[in-house]
């Protein structure tokens, strides 16, 4: 349900098909309508003369449209039944259903955008934070394409040096190898920095995985429910209640998190509980951050010591829950166990200390990724291509250092250029296009 629903057609028959089912109030034929203007009219079923809806129509003529084809949009009332009926009419009079991402694919194939911009469209739809949205918009606006062009120009310059050396070795003043070395050194630094930024941002883009861990009955599931804002996990005083892994996505101060509730760590002969513990182990291994929960109302036990040791290599936040109870342990006890680590006292029952926990989560997240640093690369495909180019540049510098023939360097430079052409879609096969655009939603 919505106030407005849109049915879009693109292609050479878009306007004739629309003309068969839409009648303007002004009496003009659709072929005579001015582009990029709204016209009010009625959508009519020609077979029965039944009026389906009062609607606006907008015509965008090629090549000044998203796909560089004739595009027609019907803007109707947003009920699913109305949209379905309008879609059905379009199909009856010659249109076909769009495949996922087909509008953007046509924009790419018709030269309106390159492949990096097309990928940015899909990423913007899925953006989970303002920071991610900003990064994806940079891709859509062509900033990544411009950067790739600058890298290509640097490789082409090196190629020109190689050609000059091969053709006019006696006439060239100075060391050609030194000029190529300096260009490749600068390029390697740029590529390495961009790869590093992208790797850090990948964590932020997907959501920082936060696993809530602890022994049974320390309040993990209650904390998880409080973070969720709803009763997602079953909470009872019986140890071993949580047997599966529960996950929820949440954005705090613009930072996307994925919170996971796990089974309490203890020895168990229960088959189902042991499966839950195995899943918890798997998530702990993948976690970007662990919230390790202790119970202030219970003395430290073997399970606590074991967990602290197990998670020594992980970035973690120590939480002392149930501060409303008579204390059996305190911050000083945990500081002895985990020297120089901050301990947060909270009470899930009384909802105390949760804001401080959220603040700490965001601060720790900033250690994983620089929130002021916006990367250019936003997809795994782009990262893999740039890593390959970086490897090639390093090989070329290695060849120069070893004193190998300048021809070897030239071959590597050509390989780097070919690899960069895959970035923007200058060199791409149909299988790759199918893989990229299959991840789009219908209508994009």
């Amino acid at each position: 349900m919505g106030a407005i629903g849109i049915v879009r057609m693109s292609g050479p028959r878009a306007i004739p098909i629309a003309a068969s089912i839409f009648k303007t109030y002004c009496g003009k034929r659709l072929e005579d309508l001015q582009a990029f203007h709204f016209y009010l009219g009625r959508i009519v079923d020609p077979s029965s003369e039944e009026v389906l809806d009062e609607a606006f129509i907008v015509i965008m003529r090629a090549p000044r449209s998203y796909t560089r084809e004739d595009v027609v949009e019907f803007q109707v009332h947003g009920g699913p039944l109305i949209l379905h009926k309008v879609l059905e009419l379009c199909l009856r009079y010659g249109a076909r259903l769009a495949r996922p991402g087909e509008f953007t694919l046509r924009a790419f194939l018709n030269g309106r955008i390159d492949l990096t911009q097309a990928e940015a469209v899909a990423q913007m739809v899925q953006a989970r934070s303002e920071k991610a949205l900003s990064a994806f918009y940079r891709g859509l606006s062509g900033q990544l394409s411009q950067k790739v062009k600058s890298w290509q120009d640097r490789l082409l310059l090196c190629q020109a040096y190689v050609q000059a050396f091969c053709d006019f070795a006696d006439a060239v003043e100075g060391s050609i190898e030194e000029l190529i070395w300096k260009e490749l050194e600068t390029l390697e630094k740029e590529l390495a920095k961009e790869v590093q930024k992208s790797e850090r941002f990948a964590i932020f883009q997907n959501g920082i995985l936060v696993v809530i861990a602890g022994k049974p009955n320390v309040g993990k599931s209650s904390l998880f429910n409080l973070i969720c804002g709803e009763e997602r996990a079953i909470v009872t005083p019986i140890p071993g209640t949580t047997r599966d892994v529960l996950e929820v996505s949440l954005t705090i101060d613009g930072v996307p998190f994925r919170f996971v509730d796990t089974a309490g760590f203890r020895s168990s002969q229960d088959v189902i509980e042991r499966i839950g513990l195995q899943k918890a182990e798997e998530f702990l291994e993948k976690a970007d951050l662990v919230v390790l929960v202790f119970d202030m109302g219970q003395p430290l036990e073997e399970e606590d010591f074991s967990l602290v040791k197990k998670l020594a290599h992980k970035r973690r936040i120590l939480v002392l829950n149930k501060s409303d109870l008579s204390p059996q342990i305190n911050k000083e006890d945990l500081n002895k166990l985990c020297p120089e680590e901050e301990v947060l006292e909270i009470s899930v029952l009384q909802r105390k200390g949760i804001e401080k926990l959220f603040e700490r989560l965001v601060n720790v997240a900033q250690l994983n990724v620089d929130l002021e640093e916006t990367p250019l690369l936003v997809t795994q495909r782009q990262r893999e291509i740039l890593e390959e180019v970086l490897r090639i540049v390093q090989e070329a510098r290695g060849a120069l250092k070893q004193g190998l023939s300048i021809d070897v360097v030239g071959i590597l430079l050509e390989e780097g250029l070919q690899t960069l052409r895959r970035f923007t879609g200058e060199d791409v096969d149909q299988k790759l296009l199918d893989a990229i655009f299959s991840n789009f939603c219908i209508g994009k």
Side-chain angles (χ1 to χ4, degrees), residues 138 181 202 247 259 350 412:
R138 292 182 71 186
W181 176 272
E247 182 175 337
F259 289 96
Q350 297 180 344
L412 288 168

Side-chain angles (χ1 to χ4, degrees), residues 60-73:
M60 292 157 271
R61 289 190 175 86
R64 296 181 60 207
S65 72
Y66 182 63
T67 59
R68 282 196 170 167
E69 300 174 329
D70 285 342
V71 173
V72 174
E73 284 189 0

